[in-house]
Amino acid sequence: TLAARPADVEHAYGYSKAEYVASGFEGTLILVAAVAIAWVAIERLLSPRPLESVGLGLAVSIAASAVNFGVARVLLNAARVNRSIALEADSRHLMTDVWTSAGVIAGVAAVATTGWEWLDPLIALAVAGNIVFTGVSLMRRSFRGLLDRALPRETLECIQGALAPFRAQGIEFHALRTREAAGRSFVSMHVLVPGDWTVQRGHDLIESVEDQIRGLVPQATVFTHLEPLGDPVSYLDVGLDRGPPPEGGVKSS
């Protein structure tokens, strides 16, 4: 609900980063579930005892697993369509229940087949390990999102591809910076055009550049800064590249 709020005066870039807080919390809950499963599994591994209410337990586990799997798939599809890490976290959380139920069924079947009671807690430990991986993965992605991580490499390559036709016309670009905030993307760059161009011609060009990028990157906010080619001052803000362009050429990043 918070992440869906539109931008306002106090939050000019919107509230979408709230999704990272939600997904990080879901990741924490997944880790708590893994610890609880491991705790009980170790206790039963040290003190094996016969399984109780096997028939009822299996029936409940199978039913719960089927429902959770269905809901998790719906959530995951919605997460992909809406580029929502919060919905994805909900989906992953439900899938941990599915894996837990699968572990219960596998453990009961193994014990029933072999009579080795220690197999049930051993399988439970394996399930807990898998859940830990899911929880840690979600938390890492959430923390990276809060740190303004750049867009994925594939998206950056698409952006560079969209700029290639303009470069072929003698236009240059530098200081390309990107970041993602859950479902939103932000792209900024400097656009270098001949110094004798009119303001209107430069404006029309950057409008075309921005339209190309918005067509490639869903929900993208694009910022461009117009600069003249050939002016050494235009190259003082290229990020890690400092100073004027090399002799006889134009430097870009």
Side-chain angles (χ1 to χ4, degrees):
T1 300
L2 179 62
R5 287 184 181 180
D8 55 34
V9 174
E10 292 187 350
H11 301 84
Y13 296 98
Y15 292 81
S16 54
K17 277 193 176 183
E19 288 207 36
Y20 292 122
V21 179
S23 61
F25 182 67
E26 291 263 17
T28 303
L29 292 178
I30 290 173
L31 289 181
V32 170
V35 170
I37 292 170
W39 181 275
V40 174
I42 291 173
E43 181 185 359
R44 293 183 71 96
L45 192 60
L46 297 176
S47 303
R49 54 184 183 270
L51 298 176
E52 301 173 357
S53 305
V54 174
L56 178 61
L58 284 177
V60 171
S61 293
I62 292 172
S65 182
V67 172
N68 285 332
F69 181 79
V71 177
R73 295 304 303 177
V74 171
L75 283 171
L76 187 58
N77 288 335
R80 289 170 177 165
V81 171
N82 296 285
R83 300 176 68 231
S84 169
I85 192 173
L87 290 178
E88 182 185 343
D90 264 342
S91 172
R92 303 297 183 194
H93 196 174
L94 283 176
M95 281 304 297
T96 62
D97 292 336
V98 174
W99 286 114
T100 302
S101 298
V104 169
I105 296 168
V108 170
V111 172
T113 302
T114 65
W116 298 339
E117 295 176 353
W118 52 267
L119 277 177
D120 179 48
L122 198 63
I123 293 175
L125 284 174
V127 170
N130 179 67
I131 294 175
V132 165
F133 177 81
T134 301
V136 170
S137 176
L138 269 177
M139 293 178 71
R140 286 182 61 189
R141 289 178 57 197
S142 300
F143 294 150
R144 286 178 178 178
L146 290 173
L147 294 174
D148 287 335
R149 189 183 187 190
L151 296 177
R153 181 181 298 274
E154 297 79 11
T155 304
L156 294 177
E157 290 175 353
C158 287
I159 292 174
Q160 292 291 354
L163 299 180
F166 297 99
R167 285 196 171 101
Q169 301 173 32
I171 308 303
E172 284 296 333
F173 303 89
H174 68 215
L176 174 62
R177 298 179 178 89
T178 66
R179 68 183 178 91
E180 57 183 347
R184 297 187 64 190
S185 300
F186 297 87
V187 181
S188 67
M189 70 184 73
H190 294 188
V191 184
L192 287 79
V193 302
D196 58 355
W197 276 23
T198 63
V199 174
Q200 184 65 54
R201 185 175 180 182
H203 170 76
D204 292 343
L205 173 83
I206 61 177
E207 283 290 330
S208 179
V209 170
E210 291 178 5
D211 286 343
Q212 288 285 335
I213 295 174
R214 280 193 288 265
L216 290 171
V217 185
Q219 298 187 43
T221 299
V222 186
F223 302 96
T224 51
H225 175 62
L226 198 65
E227 294 182 314
L229 277 165
D231 187 346
V233 176
S234 299
Y235 303 88
L236 296 177
D237 49 10
V238 189
L240 295 179
D241 283 337
R242 302 294 181 182
E247 188 69 26
V250 175
K251 178 168 57 178
S252 63
S253 63

